Each structure stands twice: as C-alpha cells, then as structure tokens.
C-alpha cells in the first residue's frame, strides 16, 4: 500500500501538526501575558464544573479536577505550565483514543462499514475487566446469584482482552460475514451496527448498573517532571498504548498477513484475485480491532480512574472524528487524527469551558469534512 | 399481575402525546430518509433546537409579564411566536448542516449529522449557557407551558373518557392529545400531498439514482436541501409537542432518541404515509407491554425493576437489527421501492 507511508502525506501531516502546535503556543503566550488577572476565575469555574462525574461532557474532568486541586495546593512551590500540562494530557488521551480508532479504521478499510458499535467494544473491555478483578460481589444479567472473582488486575485485563477479541470473532462469524454473503449494502450494515450498539450499551447497563466503577482502588501518585505533573498510572497507560500501536504498525508494515490486510484495505477484489483469502483477513481484522478497543477501554478506565457502561459510547464520535481527520480507512491516519483530537480537546479547555471540549473536537470533524474530506493522510478522491 | 391495568396502560400509550410527538418526528425523518434517502442520524438535534426555540421564547415573554417590546401579547400570540421561533431555528440549523454535508456520501452524512446533533446537546448542557438553556437541568415545564395550557377549551380537572383518565388541560392532557394528533394528521397530509407532487417525484429519483436526476438537469443539491429543511422543521415541531408533556432537558434528546425514531420509522415502513404513525404506536405500546410483562412475570431477583428499562431497550436494538436485515420495508412499505442505496 503506497499511500500509507507516502512521504508527501507524512510531510503534510507533519506540517499540520507543527502549524497547530505553533498556533496554540502563540495563543498560549498571548493568553499568559495578557490575561493574568483572569486565570483564578477560570480555575474556579473549572473546579465547579469538574466535579460532575458520569456526565457526557465530563469525560476526563475527574482527572482534571484533581489537577486543579493539586494546582491550587502547589501554586506556592511549583508552578505547572497549564499549556504543557494540557498538551501532555492531550497526548495521553490521544494515544488511548488511537487504540480504539485504529481498529475502527481497519474495519472501515477492509469492509467499508462505519461500525457504530465500536464504542461499546471499548466499554466491554473495561466492564469485563471490572467483572473479573472486582473485590465487590458481581452478578450476570438474569442470574440471581452474586459472586466475586477477584483476579489480579493484570490477569483479569489480559483475559478481558482475549474475551473481547473473541466477541469480534463471534460477531464476524455469525453476523457481519453473513450480511456480506447476503450482499447487504454497507449503509444497511451501518444501521445494523447502530442497532447492535443500542442493544450492547443497554446490555452493559443491565449488567453493571448505571454507576461509575473502578478497576483499581490504588490512588495514582503524581510526579513533577519540570513544568508538568503526571501520574504513574498515566505513564504506564501511555507506555502500553505506545507498545500496542508500535506492534500493530510493525504487523501491518512488515508481516505477510499485515501486507495482505493493507492489500484488502486498498482493493478487495484485486486482493482476492491475487490469492489472498479476503474473508480470513476480515475476520482477523475484526479480532484485532475488538482486542485493541478492549486495551483502549481498560487503559482509559485506569487513566480516568473509573469506567461506566457508556464510557466507550461517549468516545465513539471522537473516534469517528479521528478516523475522518486522518482519512477513512487509513490506520496510520487514524493514529495521527487521534493524537490531534486528543491534544485539541485538552488544550481547548484553556480558552473554552471544559464541558465544551468534545464539542470542539466535533467542530473540527465538520470543518475537516468541509475543506479536506479525504482527511490528512487520505488520497484526494470523490466522496460525494 | 394486573392484566386490566396493563391493558389500560397499553391502550393509553396508543394515543399518548409522546406517541404523537415521535410520530411527527418520524414524519420529518421520512422526508429525509424515506423520500430523499438522506441518512440523517441527528434528528434529535432538530427536536432539541425546536424545544429550546419555543421554550426560551415563551419563558422570556412570561418573565417580562407577557409583554414583548412593551406590547402585551395574548396567549395565542405567544404560542404562535414560540412556534415560529422554533421553526426558524430549525430551518437555520438545517441550512447550516446541509451546506457542507449534502455533497458527501451517505455514511459521511450520517457521521456529520450525528456530530452536529451532539454539539447542539453539548452546547445546551454547557454551564456557560446556563442563563439561556438551564444547562443540564434544562428548562422547567412551569416556565413555558402556561400559554399553551391557558388556551385549552377543556375543563381544568381530571376527565375520564371510557377507561382512560387524563387531566383536561395540564401537562399530558386531553388538550395536548387533541392538538398533537391534529398536527400529526396535518403533517401526514402534507407528506402525502408532497410525495405525490412533481417535487416529490424528483426526491424519489434522487433516492434511487442521484446521477440520473442530475443528468436531467435538476439541481440535486437544492432539492436535498429543501427536503432536509422541511423534515427538520417537522422534527422541531415534534420536539415542541414532546416538551409539552415533559420538560426541556438536553439529555433526553441524545443519540438514543435518534435511534428510536429510526427504529420506529423502519418498523412502520419508510416512504409510506402511515408508516411513521403505525411505527410509533407499535414501538411505544410494545415497549410498555414488554416492560409490564417482564416486570410482572420475571421474579424480582432475576430482573429488578431498575433493570427493566435497559432490558426493554436491548430488545429495541435487536429489533432494529432484525428489521434492517430481514424486513427493511417494515410493516407497510414496499420492498421494491425502498432498497437502501449506496449514496
């Protein structure tokens, strides 16, 4: 696949990133020199809106609320640069988002399906982990007994990822491959995935209820590195995310199966004609995508210190924004797009109220579709 | 298990204002999807904007002592102005939404409309607009219902007709039932008339083959925009009707609401005149009956009362999947007419 590492496309992506970063730095400098007097009121407003867990807009605000409180406590000793802090938060969030959106992009690339149920795969990973590791009694829907499994976090997480990947296999074997065989169009398949998403999100609510649950009860210790503060769990999450993304990139670029996947993504009929088993590749992509989504969900639950039945559903549109920004069906584009979305949504909280940060990301999605519908890394082609 | 009670509740759900409001919203979506083939996944955004447009206008006039620019307004004039604002806001939103998106392919349109509707909801529940929209608590019913309830010709007490008891004019009332179904009937008439007009035939042509219609010299973009705006305005009216029986709260008009409207439209039959009405009646009645039966027959230890709602909605999701796969034309539709095309 020539376009994935096309130097021109990469240069373009780099230019966009640098320009965005420059623009933000300039704005930040302007803000800090001009608006010193306003800073405390902003922090107060943030703290007052930050303590609303389980609201759609307040996705990362729990982490942020702790930020502002620590900020207040440490302002006399160490000053954290808010811009750099937000940038780091944004990169962390973007990396976690990338885990989910790379899978979404792979599915779109190989099957043409915009999978609206991908957010639920993210929640499923986190909820399964909670089910396996929780010390509190848990139960299954319709089964009236309560029990505790209480595995160690690492074992539970690996098992949950395996189970989630299994749901990807199941879905493709019993639903999506049948639909493809019946030649049901991708638009109908998209509406089917909407139905699946509606069913799954309510199933998860039925399973663990509406409250926010925590995977790990340990409190994240935060360290000061120069002008920024970062927690151990966040650092570990970022590390795992980078390792997974590197592994997926290596798989796509250097293995036979990965090359076959990119071939199917480029042109399924040509790939079939050259002897690639398209159905097998698509099944592999489903397993990979759902597994990655589960990893993203678990890491996100650790990063945000809690998860709920709709934590993934809230991310769905950000994933679509990331995937569209990078170019639909381009896995590396989804990676770049996720990090851009992560940074923009976190950094925008410096000027906009934090409960609007996802609205900002969605605004970018609409602007991108307006001016460059093929995305950053996509080839210019007619999409209308 | 109270069978008579369940039967009465199910009967009331058939003509309830909620059923009418969703039928009206589905008629709006029928203009988008049924006639033109537009995959509008943000219909709840239109409804929410309509609700805000009406409720905020009335609230401001009422807070001003019923006066606008020093002129005292009768209750009827207030209602007309509120509805007008709701329509104007939704038309503007439709134009703004259609401008960049109507040139895009089907699934792009779906993603952008859903994103736009979510943006409306995020803005509505944002603390920064609390003075206007009331943030996540929304606008209380008492702030905007008075003009509508004061023009009711029905008595101001509980009225029993057959087995059904509703209030004469307050909240979910007989007055609201009559008004809501009248509006639904008028919108259905409009749909019936327009879908059989030359204009409607062009829209159906766009649904079937956009390029063929373009090659006949028709302005496809303009026609799609007209369909989007008309359907959106009808959706906004549906939102206003819904808010009369409830309150204006942004989170009740999230993505699930859009998906319910899609389910009930596909259930009744897209591109048909009575499909949205039948779909809404079946959807809400079936939801109530399923919840009633599951609550009455499955023991509390297996399925507690808080789990009933998600349980019923799992079935809604499964219904949507099954409908699209096995019977995309729904109860009333014509399979040959409505193949969901790539666009």
């Amino acid at each position: 696949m020539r376009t994935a590492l096309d130097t021109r496309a990469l240069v373009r992506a780099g230019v966009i990133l640098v320009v965005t970063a420059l623009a933000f730095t300039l704005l930040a400098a302007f803000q800090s020199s001009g608006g010193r007097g306003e800073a405390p009121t902003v922090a107060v407003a943030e703290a007052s809106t930050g303590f609303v867990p389980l609201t759609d807009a307040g996705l990362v605000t729990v982490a942020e609320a702790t930020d502002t409180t620590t900020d207040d406590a440490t302002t006399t000793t160490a000053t954290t640069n808010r811009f750099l802090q937000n940038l780091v938060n944004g990169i962390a969030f973007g990396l976690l988002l990338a885990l989910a959106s790379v899978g979404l992009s792979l599915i779109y690339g190989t099957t043409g399906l915009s999978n609206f149920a991908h957010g639920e795969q993210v929640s499923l990973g986190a909820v399964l982990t909670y089910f396996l590791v929780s010390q509190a009694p848990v139960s299954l829907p319709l089964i009236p007994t309560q029990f505790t499994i209480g595995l160690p976090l690492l074992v539970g997480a690996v098992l949950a990822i395996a189970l989630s990947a299994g749901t990807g296999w199941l879905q493709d074997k019993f639903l999506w491959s049948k639909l493809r065989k019946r030649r049901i169009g991708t638009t109908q398949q998209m509406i089917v995935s909407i139905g699946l998403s509606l069913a799954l999100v309510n199933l998860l609510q039925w399973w663990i209820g509406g409250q926010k649950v925590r995977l790990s009860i340990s409190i994240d210790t935060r360290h000061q590195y120069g002008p920024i503060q970062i927690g151990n769990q966040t650092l570990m999450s970022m590390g795992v995310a980078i390792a997974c993304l590197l592994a997926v990139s290596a798989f796509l670029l250097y293995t036979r199966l990965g090359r076959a996947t990119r071939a199917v993504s480029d042109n399924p009929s040509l790939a079939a004609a050259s002897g690639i088993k398209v159905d097998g590749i698509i099944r592999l992509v489903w397993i990979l995508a759902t597994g990655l989504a589960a990893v993203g969900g678990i890491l996100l639950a650790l990063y945000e210190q809690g998860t709920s039945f709709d934590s993934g559903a809230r991310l769905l549109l950000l994933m679509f924004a990331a995937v569209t920004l990078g170019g639909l069906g381009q896995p590396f584009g989804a990676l770049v797009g996720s990090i851009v979305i992560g940074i923009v949504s976190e950094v925008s909280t410096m000027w906009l109220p934090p409960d609007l940060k996802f609205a900002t990301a969605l605004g970018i999605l609409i602007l991108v579709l307006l001016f460059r519908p093929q995305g950053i890394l996509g080839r210019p082609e007619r999409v209308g | 298990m109270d069978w008579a009670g369940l039967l009465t509740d199910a009967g009331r759900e058939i003509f309830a204002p909620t059923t009418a409001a969703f039928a009206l919203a589905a008629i709006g979506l029928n203009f988008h999807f049924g006639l033109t083939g537009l995959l509008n996944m943000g219909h709840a955004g239109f409804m929410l904007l309509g609700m805000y447009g009406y409720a905020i206008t009335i609230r401001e006039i009422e807070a001003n002592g019923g006066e606008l620019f020093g002129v005292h307004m009768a209750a009827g004039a207030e209602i007309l102005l509120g509805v007008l604002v709701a329509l104007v806001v939704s038309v503007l939103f439709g134009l703004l939404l259609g401008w960049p998106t109507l040139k895009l392919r089907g699934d792009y349109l779906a993603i952008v409309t859903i994103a736009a509707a979510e943006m409306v909801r995020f803005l509505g529940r944002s603390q920064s607009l609390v003075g206007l929209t009331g943030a996540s608590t929304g606008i209380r019913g008492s702030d905007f219902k008075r003009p509508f309830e004061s023009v009711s010709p029905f008595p101001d007490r509980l009225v029993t007709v057959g087995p059904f008891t509703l209030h004469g004019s307050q909240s979910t009332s007989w007055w609201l039932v009559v008004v809501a179904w009248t509006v639904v009937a008028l919108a259905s008439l409009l749909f019936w008339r327009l879908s059989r007009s030359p204009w409607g035939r062009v829209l159906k042509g766009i649904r079937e083959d956009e390029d063929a219609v373009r090659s006949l010299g028709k302005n496809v973009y303009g026609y799609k925009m007209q369909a989007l705006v008309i359907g959106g305005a009808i959706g906004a009216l549906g939102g206003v009707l819904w808010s009369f029986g409830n309150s204006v709260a942004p989170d009740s008009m999230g993505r699930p609401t859009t998906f319910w409207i899609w389910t009930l439209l596909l259930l009744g039959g897209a591109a048909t005149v009575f499909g949205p009405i039948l779909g809404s009646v079946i959807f809400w009645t079936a939801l109530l009956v399923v919840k009633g039966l599951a609550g009455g027959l499955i023991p509390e230890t297996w399925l507690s009362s808080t789990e009933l709602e998600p349980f019923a909605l799992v079935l809604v999701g499964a219904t949507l999947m099954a409908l699209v796969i096995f019977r995309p034309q729904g109860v009333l539709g014509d399979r040959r007419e409505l193949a969901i095309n790539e666009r």
Side-chain angles (χ1 to χ4, degrees):
Chain A
M1 197 164 91
R2 184 178 45 81
T3 49
L5 278 182
D6 192 335
T7 43
R8 258 181 57 209
L10 278 181
V11 166
R12 215 177 278 155
V15 167
I16 291 176
L17 266 174
V18 169
V19 168
T20 331
L22 269 178
F24 277 123
T25 322
L26 281 177
L27 274 171
F30 176 73
Q31 186 86 359
S32 59
S33 64
R36 263 282 149 240
E38 292 167 24
T41 54
V42 173
V44 168
E46 207 166 341
S48 65
T49 52
F51 287 109
V52 191
L54 260 186
T55 55
D56 279 53
L59 186 62
V60 199
T61 46
V62 178
E64 203 153 63
T66 52
D67 276 356
T68 48
T69 47
T70 46
D71 273 359
D72 292 342
T74 52
T75 32
T76 46
T77 52
T79 45
T80 53
N81 183 327
R82 272 194 66 194
F83 173 72
L84 282 179
Q85 182 69 52
N86 281 334
L87 191 69
V88 170
N89 288 352
I91 291 172
F93 181 58
L95 280 172
L96 304 186
L97 189 66
L99 283 174
S101 47
V102 165
L104 187 67
S105 179
L106 278 172
I107 292 177
Y108 182 86
T110 47
T111 64
L113 166 69
S114 309
N115 182 20
F116 275 72
H118 206 67
E120 275 61 46
Q121 295 292 342
V122 174
S123 321
L124 184 69
V127 168
L128 268 174
T129 313
Y130 168 74
F131 178 70
L132 292 172
V133 305
S134 171
Q135 299 294 334
V138 288
S139 63
L140 284 167
L142 272 185
I143 296 172
T145 53
Q146 289 206 322
F147 47 89
T148 311
I149 300 175
L151 292 173
L153 180 61
L154 199 62
V155 181
V158 170
L159 207 59
I161 294 163
L163 283 173
S164 298
T167 60
W169 178 82
L170 271 178
Q171 262 182 61
D172 190 53
K173 184 165 173 67
F174 292 108
L175 182 63
W176 305 113
S177 68
K178 306 273 180 215
L179 295 189
R180 283 195 300 275
K181 214 154 275 164
R182 288 178 57 156
R183 298 191 173 281
I184 287 184
T186 50
T187 309
Q188 275 131 303
Q189 287 187 30
M190 184 188 82
I191 303 177
V192 172
S193 81
I194 287 174
L196 184 65
S197 138
L198 197 57
L200 276 178
V201 74
N202 285 295
L203 191 67
L204 289 175
Q205 188 183 2
W206 181 8
W207 188 4
I208 63 156
Q211 80 281 20
K212 189 163 180 156
V213 294
R214 297 187 58 154
L215 301 191
S216 137
I217 48 167
S218 66
I219 293 164
D220 200 6
T221 47
R222 302 175 73 82
H223 300 287
Q224 183 94 28
Y225 297 101
I228 52 164
Q229 282 191 335
I230 197 160
N232 270 343
Q233 284 188 1
T234 310
L235 270 181
M236 258 164 27
S237 300
M238 282 170 83
V240 176
I242 291 172
C244 286
L245 291 169
L246 282 179
V248 172
S249 312
F251 165 76
L252 285 176
L253 288 176
Y254 302 117
T255 64
R256 281 181 66 84
L257 268 179
R259 241 170 271 156
T261 308
R262 288 187 291 136
V264 173
S265 180
D266 244 13
N267 187 340
S269 28
L270 192 62
S274 42
I276 294 171
K277 276 193 188 130
V278 174
D279 270 339
I281 294 290
I282 291 176
R283 187 141 314 157
L284 182 75
V285 162
W286 269 100
I287 294 170
L288 196 66
T290 47
L292 277 176
V295 178
I298 296 166
L299 294 181
L300 202 71
L302 291 174
Y303 172 75
E304 283 173 30
Q305 320 212 332
T307 187
S308 63
F309 71 97
D310 63 345
S311 57
R314 279 187 251 135
L315 285 190
L316 180 75
L317 285 173
L318 295 187
M319 288 189 245
F320 272 123
V323 168
T324 318
L325 190 61
L328 269 176
Q330 305 266 352
F332 297 103
L335 184 62
V336 178
S338 300
I339 291 172
V340 171
I341 293 285
I343 292 174
V344 168
S345 59
E346 285 293 330
V347 173
S348 73
T349 58
M350 295 180 69
W351 304 283
L352 292 172
D355 49 3
L356 278 182
K357 62 178 166 189
F358 289 169
T360 326
L362 298 182
I364 292 175
L365 166 69
I366 295 176
L367 282 181
V368 166
L369 285 177
L370 197 59
F371 295 111
R372 197 175 156 76
Q374 73 273 26
I376 301 173
L377 291 184
R379 271 166 301 180
E381 62 177 328
R382 193 183 151 79
V383 289
Chain B
M1 170 112 212
D2 178 13
W3 292 102
L6 181 61
L7 210 63
T8 318
D9 285 347
R12 189 186 292 125
E13 202 70 6
I14 290 175
F15 65 84
T18 305
T19 311
F22 272 81
L24 193 59
I27 292 170
L29 189 62
N30 211 4
F31 273 99
H32 298 158
F33 175 70
L35 271 188
T36 327
L38 299 173
L39 287 169
N40 171 18
M41 287 289 164
H43 208 52
F46 282 104
M47 292 175 77
L48 185 59
L49 275 176
M51 285 154 71
Y52 276 141
Y54 181 85
I56 291 172
T57 310
I58 301 291
R59 187 191 62 194
E60 292 306 316
I61 297 176
E62 292 283 289
N64 213 4
E67 288 188 0
L68 186 72
F69 304 125
V71 183
H72 187 76
M73 296 188 76
E78 281 184 46
I79 297 170
L80 275 182
L81 187 68
V83 169
L84 197 68
V85 170
L87 289 179
V88 167
V89 169
S90 63
V91 165
L92 286 179
F93 182 62
L95 291 173
L96 203 67
L97 192 62
W99 169 55
T101 55
L102 286 179
K103 286 176 176 160
L104 299 172
R105 212 174 48 203
D107 40 1
Y108 277 86
L109 183 67
I111 294 171
V112 174
T113 46
I114 205 172
E118 286 289 277
M119 271 179 82
V120 170
R121 193 169 64 88
F122 281 143
L123 283 173
R125 71 199 304 291
S126 165
Q127 278 295 331
S128 46
L129 294 178
V130 68
L132 193 65
T133 61
S136 55
T137 35
I139 301 168
R140 280 174 306 145
S142 55
D143 285 344
F144 65 92
K145 284 183 189 169
R146 195 208 53 92
F148 179 75
E149 287 168 359
S150 69
V151 295
S152 162
F154 294 113
D156 205 11
R157 58 181 161 78
L158 290 176
V159 180
T160 305
V161 177
F164 307 113
T165 304
L166 287 179
H167 198 278
S169 45
Q170 279 176 16
S171 203
T172 306
S173 58
W174 288 112
W175 169 231
L176 182 56
V177 168
V178 171
V179 171
W181 284 105
T182 313
V183 177
V184 170
L186 290 176
S188 299
L189 196 69
L190 182 74
F191 181 86
W192 174 76
R193 196 63 207 87
L194 284 180
S195 67
R196 270 156 190 74
S197 67
W199 183 80
R201 281 197 294 277
V202 175
L203 290 189
K204 285 181 185 169
I206 293 173
R207 182 188 71 199
E208 298 304 326
D209 190 342
E210 197 177 309
D211 292 329
V213 174
R214 197 175 279 123
S215 71
L216 290 174
K218 302 286 183 194
N219 179 1
V220 169
Y221 183 71
Y223 277 98
K224 278 182 173 179
M225 184 70 97
Q226 289 160 14
L228 186 73
V229 164
I230 291 177
I234 294 177
L237 282 184
V240 173
L241 284 182
W242 188 85
S243 71
F244 284 147
N246 302 274
S247 66
V248 177
D251 288 340
S252 56
M253 289 289 144
R255 269 179 286 164
T257 312
T258 304
F259 298 162
W260 296 350
I261 301 170
W262 269 89
T263 309
L264 63 89
L265 177 64
L266 290 175
L267 186 66
T272 60
V273 177
F274 292 108
I277 300 173
L278 186 70
S280 188
V281 167
I282 298 177
F283 180 88
W284 289 105
T285 315
L287 203 60
L288 187 121
V289 169
V290 164
K291 273 192 257 180
L293 283 181
L297 297 179
I298 302 176
E300 176 77 14
T301 48
W302 288 19
L303 191 71
S304 69
S305 49
T306 51
E307 293 170 341
L308 276 178
E309 183 81 21
F311 167 74
L313 292 177
V314 169
L315 295 182
V316 172
T319 311
L320 180 56
M321 289 165 73
L323 270 174
V324 177
I325 298 172
F326 299 112
R327 208 179 157 81
Q329 73 274 36
V331 178
L332 296 176
D334 180 352
R335 184 156 204 153
R336 281 165 306 172
E337 188 185 23
L338 201 80
I340 304 169
N341 286 317
E342 278 292 297
R343 195 162 297 115

